[in-house]
Amino acid sequence: MADRADWLPRAALVVGAVTLARLVALWFNKTDLFVDESQYWLWGERLDFGYYSKPPLIAWVIRAVTELAGSDAPFWVRLPGAIFHGATALILGAVSARLFSGRAAFWTAITYATLPMVALGSVLISTDTIMAPFFATALLFHIRAAETGRVVFAAVAGFCLGLAFLAKYAAVYFLIGVALAAVFVPALRPGLRVWATMLIAFVVAILPNVLWNLSNDLTTVAHTVDNAGWVQHASWFANLNPSGLAEFFFSQFAVVGPVIFAALLFGYVRPGSVEGRGLALFSLPVVVIVCVQAFLAQAYANWGVAAYFAGTVLAVAVLLDRAPRLLPWSLAINGALSVLLPVLTVIAPVPERGGEPLLARYLGRVDLSRQIIDAAGVAGATSIVAGDRDILADLFHTGKGSGLTFYAPTPKDRPRSYYEQTFPLPADAAGVLLVAGDAPACAGAPVAEFDTGNGAHAGLALRAWLLPKGCRDAGN
């Protein structure tokens, strides 16, 4: 496998088999759409250049798939996950082949395909997954543009980076890597014409979303700032969170597997080559920035995903150079997790010892929505209002075609969700069924009480009231 052209057929065979197995498992997946997945689907039903909390590409992709399939069942909503990650694995293999060898390319492709974060992203659709192939393609063509000076490669890199940005704003980390690599790795220092072309292509790609934000009070930017948390404090050091930093850092051993993350940390210190140093500069800043975010406020485990496109290529190169015997062990560990996760989604309703089903967080949502829709029919309601974002998200998906209209409570100040922003309860709405834990006195007696089972809403006391005209303070 020393030849750089030999790796692709073998890697494509393995990655293709893994992807096909994931799609088969996805067909038998017993979990309901998670709240975020349902929201992304709803965005796709209302195509736009931006949304409350995220850029628009995930909505466009889901809409394209469900339109082609003629179905918006969970399988089709989630279908792009495994395919996008399979493509990313082969693109990163091409990056490794260009920088190192065909052997490194093969191991990079199959290593990425079996990362725990990829296994998860293949059963649940997320913005990280949609970002992945475009970020990886931008990396590949940036390297080619730096090597050759050809502006066409720079244009492809910039436009793909723009698409990655339209999937998740974390793609902007790429520009930090480009700048640092240009300073510290002369081989990755593009000329001014290449720089300009890449930036122009990037701006062209993201311009619709920028204009959307400007015309919508910078809604997505404001939500992103809210997520950062510490930005709004009087002092950036007001709520230091060392335990959050430790939690985020050590969670990364689970995100990409213990061997790969350990190898990546070693590669940050001793990358072993000029190429490795360049990859480290695309990866390390992401980990550092998110660690700082975790220390100042909080950070979720997936916030560092942008580090692991270049990071996987670097980690595999380090292992091949320093400890090649660890690569099969890494593949075995991550491969076992990659098999276990889809199996769990297939047997999810099976109870555990305590009576709770496996993956309870992803069950019971559709059942509750159906109970609520049935209650609306019995009560003669024509619309439903719920303040719980989780409940609303599934009502829109499960209730499509029911003839009912769904609303969020009218916000008292800035909307706290996409539903409050786009579907606030009108003052003149009639036949409204309120779904909540309690209701104002004007609502009268409840007309239904729901069985929340032992899934996502277990233990939630939930009832329904038919709201009289003028009774509109519910659900806030």
Side-chain angles (χ1 to χ4, degrees), residues 279-302:
L279 292 169
L281 293 172
F282 275 91
S283 177
L284 176 59
V286 182
V287 176
V288 171
I289 290 169
V290 183
C291 280
V292 171
Q293 162 65 30
F295 182 61
L296 294 177
Q298 68 168 352
Y300 295 107
N302 70 310

Side-chain angles (χ1 to χ4, degrees), residues 141-150 153-154 186-191 194:
F141 279 89
H142 171 68
I143 291 170
R144 296 192 68 180
E147 289 175 346
T148 65
R150 294 183 61 183
F153 293 152
L188 290 177
R189 186 179 300 155
V194 169

Side-chain angles (χ1 to χ4, degrees), residues 134 137-146 148-163 174 190 193-205:
F134 300 110
T137 303
L139 180 62
L140 174 62
F141 279 89
H142 171 68
I143 291 170
R144 296 192 68 180
T148 65
R150 294 183 61 183
V151 294
V152 65
F153 293 152
V156 173
F159 193 77
C160 286
L161 179 59
L163 292 177
F174 185 94
R193 198 166 57 125
V194 169
W195 258 105
T197 301
M198 184 171 67
L199 289 176
I200 290 170
F202 172 69
V203 170
V204 167

Side-chain angles (χ1 to χ4, degrees), residues 2 6 95 130 140 148 171 199 223 284 298 306 325-326 329 332 370 376 380 417 422 426 436 446 459 465:
D6 279 352
V95 172
I130 303 303
L140 174 62
T148 65
L199 289 176
H223 178 79
L284 176 59
Q298 68 168 352
R325 292 183 180 181
L326 289 180
W329 282 103
R370 288 173 177 162
S417 72
T422 312
W465 291 262

Side-chain angles (χ1 to χ4, degrees), residues 244-259:
L245 168 60
E247 181 181 352
F248 169 77
F249 180 79
F250 288 107
S251 72
Q252 303 309 289
F253 286 95
V255 169
V256 290
V259 176

Side-chain angles (χ1 to χ4, degrees), residues 430-450:
V432 178
L433 188 78
L434 165 68
V435 177
D438 52 44
C442 63
V447 297
E449 186 168 348
F450 303 109

Side-chain angles (χ1 to χ4, degrees), residues 50-230:
Y51 297 96
Y52 175 82
S53 58
K54 297 286 193 302
L57 189 57
I58 189 168
W60 300 350
V61 170
I62 291 173
R63 176 63 178 271
V65 172
T66 55
E67 283 288 326
L68 288 171
S71 169
D72 52 19
F75 173 81
W76 298 108
V77 173
R78 291 166 168 165
L79 176 71
I83 296 172
F84 272 47
H85 277 306
T88 304
L90 297 178
I91 296 165
L92 292 179
V95 172
S96 185
R98 191 155 200 93
L99 295 179
F100 300 108
S101 67
R103 181 175 179 232
F106 176 80
W107 276 104
T108 295
I110 63 174
T111 294
Y112 180 85
T114 54
L115 293 179
M117 73 174 196
V118 171
L120 181 61
S122 298
V123 297
L124 299 172
I125 193 69
S126 74
T127 52
D128 292 314
T129 296
I130 303 303
M131 173 179 67
F134 300 110
F135 195 108
T137 303
L139 180 62
L140 174 62
F141 279 89
H142 171 68
I143 291 170
R144 296 192 68 180
E147 289 175 346
T148 65
R150 294 183 61 183
V151 294
V152 65
F153 293 152
V156 173
F159 193 77
C160 286
L161 179 59
L163 292 177
F165 184 88
L166 291 178
K168 188 171 183 177
Y169 291 146
V172 77
Y173 290 131
F174 185 94
L175 295 176
I176 298 175
V178 169
L180 290 175
V183 172
F184 296 105
V185 183
L188 290 177
R189 186 179 300 155
L192 183 59
R193 198 166 57 125
V194 169
W195 258 105
T197 301
M198 184 171 67
L199 289 176
I200 290 170
F202 172 69
V203 170
V204 167
I206 70 171
L207 188 59
N209 182 245
V210 172
L211 295 176
W212 181 91
N213 264 288
L214 291 173
S215 63
N216 286 272
D217 302 320
L218 296 176
T219 299
T220 319
V221 175
H223 178 79
T224 304
V225 170
D226 288 343
N227 278 346
W230 55 269

Side-chain angles (χ1 to χ4, degrees), residues 191-431:
L192 183 59
R193 198 166 57 125
V194 169
W195 258 105
T197 301
M198 184 171 67
L199 289 176
I200 290 170
F202 172 69
V203 170
V204 167
I206 70 171
L207 188 59
N209 182 245
V210 172
L211 295 176
W212 181 91
N213 264 288
L214 291 173
S215 63
N216 286 272
D217 302 320
L218 296 176
T219 299
T220 319
V221 175
H223 178 79
T224 304
V225 170
D226 288 343
N227 278 346
W230 55 269
V231 177
Q232 297 175 322
H233 294 156
S235 168
W236 287 0
F237 307 103
N239 295 289
L240 297 184
N241 186 15
S243 63
L245 168 60
E247 181 181 352
F248 169 77
F249 180 79
F250 288 107
S251 72
Q252 303 309 289
F253 286 95
V255 169
V256 290
V259 176
I260 295 300
F261 191 60
L264 184 56
L265 293 176
F266 184 89
Y268 290 156
V269 179
R270 301 185 66 179
S273 66
V274 171
E275 293 82 3
R277 194 187 323 147
L279 292 169
L281 293 172
F282 275 91
S283 177
L284 176 59
V286 182
V287 176
V288 171
I289 290 169
V290 183
C291 280
V292 171
Q293 162 65 30
F295 182 61
L296 294 177
Q298 68 168 352
Y300 295 107
N302 70 310
W303 285 10
V305 162
Y308 303 122
F309 304 121
T312 301
V313 180
L314 174 59
V316 169
V318 167
L319 287 170
L320 284 174
D321 184 52
R322 304 276 182 167
R325 292 183 180 181
L326 289 180
L327 269 170
W329 282 103
S330 173
L331 191 62
I333 294 169
N334 289 355
L337 291 173
S338 293
V339 171
L340 177 63
L341 188 57
V343 168
L344 288 178
T345 67
V346 173
I347 64 172
V350 176
E352 296 180 293
R353 288 184 180 179
E356 290 277 327
L358 294 166
L359 304 182
R361 190 184 186 201
Y362 304 97
L363 297 172
R365 298 174 184 273
V366 171
D367 179 67
L368 177 60
S369 292
R370 288 173 177 162
Q371 289 184 60
I372 293 170
I373 291 166
D374 289 343
V378 172
T382 57
S383 57
I384 297 172
V385 59
D388 188 311
R389 176 173 165 262
D390 280 46
I391 293 172
L392 266 180
D394 197 84
L395 276 173
F396 273 98
H397 184 261
T398 301
K400 182 182 179 183
S402 67
L404 294 166
T405 307
F406 306 105
Y407 295 112
T410 303
K412 291 184 170 65
D413 42 41
R414 182 160 67 90
R416 297 168 298 176
S417 72
Y418 174 72
Y419 304 99
E420 289 189 1
Q421 179 193 50
T422 312
F423 304 101
L425 180 65
D428 60 350

